[in-house]
Amino acid sequence: MKNFEYYNPTKIIFGKDTIKKINKLIPQDKRVLITYGAGSIKRNGVYDQVIDALGNREVFEFGSIEPNPHFETCMECVKFIKENNIDFILAVGGGSVIDATKFIAAAFFHENDAWEIINSNIKIEKALPFGSVLTLPATGSEMNSGAVITRKETKDKRSFHSELCFPQFSILDPLVTISLSEKQVSNGIADTFVHVMEQYLTFPVNNQISDRFSESILLTLIEEAPKVFANPNDYDVRANLMWAATLGLNGLIACGSPQDWATHMIGHELTAFFGLDHGVTLSIVLPGVMKVMRDEKSEKILQYGERVFGIKDGQREDRITKAIEMTEEFFNSINIPTRLSQVNLNEKDIDTIVQRMIERKWSLGENGTINPEKVRLILTDRL
Ligand code: NZQ
Ligand code: ZN
């Protein structure tokens, strides 16, 4: 097992009808800004619950945060915060709203061009305090310190991390996820699945506990996924999926293990250039990464195949092939694309992504061996 440090200060309030607890979590004298997206929270009753819980506090709103949140929108929000002397932000939404809020909280105190926070990865010295009400289980943003921001004009989709960007608290009420479309449920399941794979499917370091945690999350997703589509109102299924998503990327399963993240890095470029949903980029790219990197990842693919899909018999190479096939079949079973052709992308579009990798001089993966030519092989496999 590798050495590690683990820090996670986010308080989680999980369960039915817990939004009202906001009242005890934010001091009475705060001027609170609610950040949100295109309005789902106004249609499903979450907004009303939040307003009720905030009681007599001074409350402001900043909506219209788009999926894959834009730097430009975040900077408008920073201006709004300065004009209104806001001193606490409450993000109400999915990963995009929470990520945008993290960036806004940090950009508020940043004196130079705030894009530096992302581009130069400079250390953030201060951030506004914020909490979240999560409405879409997927990203783990509700309990981690990372955020992904898009700069429209340059088609950049990039991440940053800071220990000052953990939410102070996150409210996870599974009931609020019942209004999600099937497409967003699938995106969230795929995102969680791939978060786990990025931290698990590397090479063995004898990290029994993280491996078993990871496998338990994958098995939970595989078992709960058909149930959520068959019985969308089942509270326990929603609760299991929500907690799985948070545990998938709150740092816990990463402790002591190597990490990959190539699927995400390639996926972010697919979103930046072609606007694909985050979850869709991952279900398309992951099987390709597994195929092209099957030798480097062979031991963990065999373990995954056996413990997650019960693949015990047959030749080693056949078992590896089967585990990769079953991964793609799982994504197909939740009705999320696994091929570039399903989202109308072709070889020319692969050139665009490979060119970006060349410009960035990126070598991805747990061993830094996924060079631009491997990225081409991965994406060509996904046509
Ligand atoms: O904007 P509204 O109207 O709220 O609608 C949203 C949006 O259209 C809708 N939605 C959310 N909750 C709902 C709902 N609709 C009905 N009922 C509800 N309860 O869902 C749509 C997608 O929302 P979004 O927040 O964009 O989705 P997600 O949570 O998947 O977040 C994706 C973003 O997070 C980043 C992604 O790159 C992407 O930008 N990620 C952040 C990570 C992190 N911070 O650690 C890690 C991830 O790997 C990921 O990169
Ligand atoms: Zn993700």
Side-chain angles (χ1 to χ4, degrees), residues 42-115:
K42 295 208 167 161
R43 291 187 294 275
N44 61 12
V46 171
Y47 174 85
D48 291 340
Q49 292 183 58
V50 168
I51 294 290
D52 277 356
L54 286 168
N56 295 328
R57 292 172 185 81
E58 239 185 307
V59 176
F60 301 79
E61 287 179 25
F62 187 92
S64 302
I65 294 174
E66 53 284 281
N68 309 304
H70 294 166
F71 169 74
E72 297 81 354
T73 310
C74 294
M75 294 316 293
E76 272 175 46
C77 186
V78 169
K79 188 161 164 268
F80 183 86
I81 291 176
K82 288 187 177 158
E83 285 165 0
N84 293 287
N85 298 319
I86 308 285
D87 51 11
F88 194 96
I89 318 178
L90 182 62
V92 185
S96 293
V97 171
I98 303 175
D99 280 11
T101 302
K102 291 176 180 179
F103 182 69
I104 292 161
F108 175 80
F109 289 108
H110 192 71
E111 280 171 9
N112 304 326
D113 175 5
W115 185 248

Side-chain angles (χ1 to χ4, degrees), residues 16-27:
K16 254 178 221 174
D17 300 322
T18 43
I19 293 178
K20 51 178 175 283
K21 299 210 172 175
I22 290 172
N23 194 25
K24 295 226 161 58
L25 295 162
I26 305 177

Side-chain angles (χ1 to χ4, degrees), residues 37-41 43-44 65 67-69 93-97 99 102 135-136 138-141 144 146-148 157 176-177 179-181 184 191 195 249 264 268 278:
S40 69
I41 64 163
R43 291 187 294 275
N44 61 12
I65 294 174
N68 309 304
S96 293
V97 171
D99 280 11
K102 291 176 180 179
T135 63
L136 196 172
T139 61
S141 189
N144 70 37
V148 191
K157 185 177 182 197
V176 313
T177 68
S179 59
L180 285 165
S181 64
Q184 291 303 343
D191 196 15
H195 290 159
L249 197 52
H264 270 71
H268 287 340
H278 175 61

Side-chain angles (χ1 to χ4, degrees), residues 89-160:
I89 318 178
L90 182 62
V92 185
S96 293
V97 171
I98 303 175
D99 280 11
T101 302
K102 291 176 180 179
F103 182 69
I104 292 161
F108 175 80
F109 289 108
H110 192 71
E111 280 171 9
N112 304 326
D113 175 5
W115 185 248
E116 269 183 12
I117 294 173
I118 289 167
N119 208 24
S120 318
N121 227 345
I122 52 162
K123 194 168 178 338
I124 292 156
E125 304 292 345
K126 214 170 164 194
L128 279 172
F130 66 96
S132 89
V133 176
L134 178 69
T135 63
L136 196 172
T139 61
S141 189
E142 66 279 7
M143 201 180 175
N144 70 37
S145 60
V148 191
I149 302 296
T150 294
R151 191 154 193 169
K152 234 179 2 179
E153 54 182 5
T154 52
K155 295 190 162 61
D156 271 304
K157 185 177 182 197
R158 306 275 296 275
S159 62
F160 81 100

